[in-house]
Amino acid sequence: MASPQVPCSPALSSLPEELIARILADCVTPPQVLTVRPPWHALPPFFPCHSLLAHRSPPTYASRTRLSTLLVSRQFLRIGTPLYYETLHLPTATHAARVLDTLAAQPLLASAVRRIVLGCVSLEGARVLRACERVEDVDVCMDVGTEENSLGGMAGDLDAETLCDALEQVDLKRLTIRKASCAYLTNMRPRYVLERIAKAVPRWPNLESLHYALKTGAGLATMPLAHALSNAPKLRVLKAQMPAVWSDLFLTISRNSALKQITLYTEGAEGIMHTSLYMMEAKKHAHLSELIKAGTSFVRTRAHTTAAVVPSPPPTRPSTPLSVSRAKEVAVDLMNLQLNYDAPSLVTIRT
């Protein structure tokens, strides 16, 4: 007797390639922001073999996981490769140089890049921007750069100039601005990058979203960008960290009639408070307050109520049963008291 055959489920490769692409997109697409190693996580000066630094470091667990999907089959490799290169994370200039080598060997991959995350301002990152002509989303992190730039010297910054020139040539739709933990907006390089971005906004007619991924306020470095954004024709969304104190930065940008919402957030929190110092001042401006309410999550303040304390009745002495003789004495006393009370009334009636 032949055993019944168990019907086999259709293989994943038999599905339409549109569905396979949707499935592989969840497997090979990297997160929005990769975790950056802290500055103290570096090799010590007494590392036994410094020549090893010239070799490529092994891929991280996240990159290995995304690459393993492409190694399943040739079909997965063909469908997943454009999805894999759709977002490029370039934490350092070394990563950008490796991407340049890859794009030089396979120029067709440049047409698949849509988003570039730059962890620093570098000449190599600018070259990657120039090579990828179809980029729509750029995330740039402003660092300090050289010592002269950090101190505010007038020496030319070739890396920053080249990167800003490349940004002007890109038709951006989304832009994210960050800064390194050691950088300040008063440093030469961040101030120069913000000034160049302000001049490049009119060259981006399709700019739809801007994200201030840093705490900022009204100043000489930020107000020119705010005035440029107030005239961006297609700017719809503005996202920024919650300012600690009031400034006219977002008020200036809110004058853009095309702006639909302003999203304010605080790192590590689910929402912001209505009673914060910035929101108390923002409520005085009706249009700005409406834009913030349209895009921001608020945390409601819960009323701390306490139950009313009801005083307990004073303790009473427990009653003790009376004896028979004592009960008779009490009854006689009550009858005598009643007779004495009724006597005057009887006399009055008789008279």
Side-chain angles (χ1 to χ4, degrees):
M1 181 177 180
S3 59
Q5 295 182 357
V6 180
C8 299
S9 59
L12 184 61
S13 58
S14 62
L15 296 177
E17 291 193 354
E18 291 80 3
L19 296 179
I20 298 177
R22 294 288 298 273
I23 296 173
L24 294 182
D26 296 333
C27 301
V28 302
T29 302
Q32 292 292 325
V33 179
L34 293 180
T35 56
V36 181
R37 289 183 175 182
W40 48 263
H41 194 286
L43 293 175
F46 51 84
F47 191 71
C49 183
H50 291 278
S51 60
L52 294 178
L53 297 176
H55 297 280
R56 297 185 178 184
S57 58
T60 60
Y61 175 77
S63 62
R64 288 199 303 265
T65 304
R66 295 193 298 124
L67 281 173
S68 60
T69 307
L70 305 181
L71 303 178
V72 173
S73 63
R74 294 182 180 180
Q75 184 186 25
F76 280 22
L77 179 63
R78 175 175 54 83
I79 300 175
T81 298
L83 300 174
Y84 183 87
Y85 284 93
E86 185 173 349
T87 301
L88 296 179
H89 285 270
L90 310 177
T92 63
T94 305
H95 292 81
R98 295 173 184 172
V99 170
L100 285 174
D101 296 339
T102 303
L103 297 180
Q106 303 182 32
L108 294 178
L109 295 178
S111 60
V113 180
R114 296 294 184 272
R115 182 171 183 265
I116 296 179
V117 181
L118 299 172
C120 64
V121 177
S122 63
L123 182 63
E124 291 78 7
R127 292 175 179 174
V128 173
L129 277 175
R130 291 184 179 275
C132 304
E133 300 179 353
R134 303 181 64 180
V135 173
E136 301 176 350
D137 189 345
V138 174
D139 187 327
V140 57
C141 181
M142 303 178 296
D143 55 354
V144 177
T146 60
E147 183 178 359
E148 291 79 5
N149 296 326
S150 177
L151 298 177
M154 298 303 295
D157 191 347
L158 181 60
D159 291 342
E161 293 179 4
T162 308
L163 179 62
C164 293
D165 291 341
L167 282 174
E168 291 181 354
Q169 305 300 323
V170 179
D171 186 12
L172 283 184
K173 291 185 178 180
R174 291 169 294 274
L175 176 64
T176 302
I177 303 175
R178 309 178 188 272
K179 72 177 185 66
S181 58
C182 59
Y184 298 92
L185 298 182
T186 55
N187 295 131
M188 186 65 181
R189 172 174 282 186
R191 188 170 56 186
Y192 175 80
V193 172
L194 290 177
E195 292 175 356
R196 291 292 303 271
I197 291 178
K199 296 179 181 179
V201 169
R203 297 171 178 252
W204 301 329
N206 296 318
L207 183 64
E208 300 176 353
S209 173
L210 181 82
H211 181 194
Y212 278 106
L214 50 89
K215 289 187 177 181
T216 182
L220 297 177
T222 57
M223 288 309 295
L225 179 57
H227 288 292
L229 293 174
S230 64
N231 298 318
K234 293 186 179 181
L235 185 64
R236 299 291 186 269
V237 179
L238 175 65
K239 186 177 180 180
Q241 291 190 16
M242 181 75 175
V245 295
W246 169 257
S247 66
D248 295 336
L249 180 67
F250 300 146
L251 179 61
T252 302
I253 303 176
S254 66
R255 297 169 185 167
N256 191 334
S257 59
L259 193 61
K260 299 301 182 183
Q261 64 181 29
I262 297 178
T263 303
L264 299 180
Y265 67 94
T266 303
E267 290 186 348
E270 297 181 356
I272 66 174
M273 303 286 291
H274 282 281
T275 57
S276 61
L277 295 177
Y278 185 87
M279 286 304 304
M280 294 297 292
E281 188 68 24
K283 292 178 182 178
K284 300 178 182 179
H285 308 276
H287 185 56
L288 175 62
S289 180
E290 291 177 0
L291 293 176
I292 294 176
K293 291 179 180 178
T296 304
S297 299
F298 291 91
V299 177
R300 293 187 177 181
T301 55
R302 300 179 59 184
H304 298 281
T305 57
T306 56
V309 179
V310 179
S312 58
T316 57
R317 297 180 59 183
S319 59
T320 57
L322 298 177
S323 60
V324 177
S325 59
R326 180 58 182 165
K328 291 181 179 181
E329 294 177 358
V330 172
V332 171
D333 293 340
L334 292 175
M335 292 178 66
N336 294 334
L337 181 61
Q338 183 68 25
L339 292 175
N340 294 334
Y341 178 76
D342 295 337
S345 60
L346 294 175
V347 173
T348 304
I349 294 174
R350 288 177 182 178
T351 58

